[in-house]
């Protein structure tokens, strides 16, 4: 009898620990620009998470149109940089390259570089920039287009500047070290400091979690 009780207790404890480990490895959902994490099951998220990345139509470094449909059902890694930046942007590019290398041949992972100076960053300039940084990942796209469209997308869809930037418009310059991770249903699942290598290591790990969801 004692052995049976001990066995049942151990089984319950094992299930609790297994659930705890599963929760530890689950990524939160972010539904608002203050980035309050919500740990939900997929069924709960389907009902409670209303925020998704909005539609867009931009031009990539090969002068080809890319829209939100182009990245549908893909995991996105989004950054907002500009080619003439001499401060945080080169650091972010350098730190993102191991992420790019890790998932270079994975068609499920799309990396998006949105230029925040699109009036300067033409498709040719973006293509030269990608080449000069020796980026050979075919799934890392450098995008340009109308300033207002990019700024609205960055601030209201990706929450690129968190709640501080949510109410700003395109007259205020956008410059952020944030890198945003979305799942295949275009829901925000992570935000990272692109100037920190430790955050990029966490990004790689979190992409792996999303791939297994």
């Amino acid at each position: 009898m004692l052995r049976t009780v001990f066995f049942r207790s151990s089984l319950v404890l094992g299930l609790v620990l297994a659930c705890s480990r599963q929760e530890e490895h689950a990524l939160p959902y972010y539904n608002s620009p203050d980035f309050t994490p919500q740990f939900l099951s997929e069924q709960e998220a389907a009902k409670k998470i209303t925020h998704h990345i909005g539609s867009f139509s931009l031009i990539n470094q090969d002068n080809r149109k890319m829209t939100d449909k182009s990245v549908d059902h893909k995991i996105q890694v989004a950054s907002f940089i500009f080619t003439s930046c001499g401060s945080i942007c080169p650091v972010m590019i350098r730190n993102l390259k191991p992420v790019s290398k890790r998932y270079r041949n994975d068609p499920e992972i799309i990396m998006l570089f949105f230029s925040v100076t699109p009036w300067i960053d033409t498709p040719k300039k973006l293509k030269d920039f990608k080449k000069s940084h020796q980026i050979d990942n075919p799934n890392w796209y450098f995008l340009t287009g109308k300033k207002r469209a990019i700024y609205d997308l960055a601030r209201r869809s990706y929450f690129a500047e968190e709640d501080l930037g949510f109410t700003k418009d395109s007259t205020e310059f956008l410059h952020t070290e944030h890198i945003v991770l979305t799942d295949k249903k275009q829901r925000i699942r992570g935000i990272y400091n692109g100037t920190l290598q430790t955050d990029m290591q966490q990004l790689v790990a979190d992409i792996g979690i999303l791939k297994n969801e």
Side-chain angles (χ1 to χ4, degrees):
M1 181 68 177
L2 181 61
R3 183 178 298 175
T4 302
V5 171
F6 178 76
F7 172 77
R8 289 177 178 171
S9 299
S10 299
L11 179 60
V12 171
L13 178 61
L15 290 173
V16 169
L17 290 174
C19 291
S20 298
R21 283 193 294 269
Q22 186 175 11
E23 289 175 0
E24 287 174 2
H25 292 290
L27 296 186
Y29 296 84
Y30 298 98
N31 209 37
S32 59
D34 61 4
F35 277 91
T36 300
Q38 298 188 47
F39 289 90
L40 305 168
S41 68
E42 176 59 35
Q43 293 75 19
E44 291 172 325
K47 296 178 182 178
K48 295 182 178 181
I49 301 301
T50 57
H51 182 80
H52 298 76
I53 302 303
S55 60
F56 65 86
S57 180
L58 299 170
I59 303 298
N60 70 18
Q61 76 280 352
D62 295 317
N63 207 27
R64 294 177 181 173
K65 184 168 75 172
M66 284 193 71
T67 71
D68 51 296
K69 301 301 181 184
S70 307
V71 297
D72 200 20
H73 302 298
K74 307 286 186 182
I75 294 169
Q76 285 187 44
V77 177
S79 57
F80 301 86
I81 317 179
F82 57 109
T83 62
S84 56
C85 171
S87 55
I88 63 173
C89 301
V91 179
M92 293 172 67
I93 291 292
R94 184 170 66 248
N95 288 345
L96 276 168
K97 289 178 81 171
V99 183
S100 171
K101 184 177 180 180
R102 175 71 175 267
Y103 293 107
R104 183 187 183 282
N105 298 313
D106 192 331
E108 288 186 308
I109 314 301
I110 296 290
M111 298 181 68
L112 301 178
F113 167 121
F114 295 90
S115 171
V116 298
T117 57
W119 60 93
I120 297 173
D121 291 334
T122 63
K124 182 181 184 305
K125 193 157 189 176
L126 292 174
K127 188 167 187 173
D128 291 343
F129 181 82
K130 183 176 180 179
K131 183 177 180 180
S132 68
H133 283 82
Q134 300 179 324
I135 298 170
D136 60 358
N137 184 340
N139 298 313
W140 191 346
Y141 297 96
F142 292 68
L143 303 174
T144 190
K146 293 182 178 179
K147 178 184 177 183
R148 181 174 180 178
I150 291 175
Y151 277 47
D152 283 350
L153 184 69
R155 286 174 167 148
R156 291 174 175 79
S157 276
Y158 289 98
F159 302 150
E161 294 176 312
E162 301 179 89
D163 51 350
L164 294 175
F166 188 69
T167 57
K168 294 180 181 179
D169 60 28
S170 59
T171 62
E172 297 184 73
F173 188 63
L174 192 160
H175 197 202
T176 178
E177 72 278 8
H178 291 154
I179 293 171
V180 180
L181 175 67
T182 74
D183 63 20
K184 293 181 181 180
K185 295 183 179 179
Q186 308 309 307
R187 299 169 299 193
I188 297 176
R189 306 297 299 277
I191 182 170
Y192 312 85
N193 186 327
T195 67
L196 300 178
Q197 291 183 1
T198 52
D199 272 29
M200 296 302 92
Q201 292 168 2
Q202 186 62 54
L203 173 59
V204 168
D206 290 349
I207 291 171
I209 292 172
L210 286 188
K211 281 177 60 65
N212 291 323
E213 280 192 347

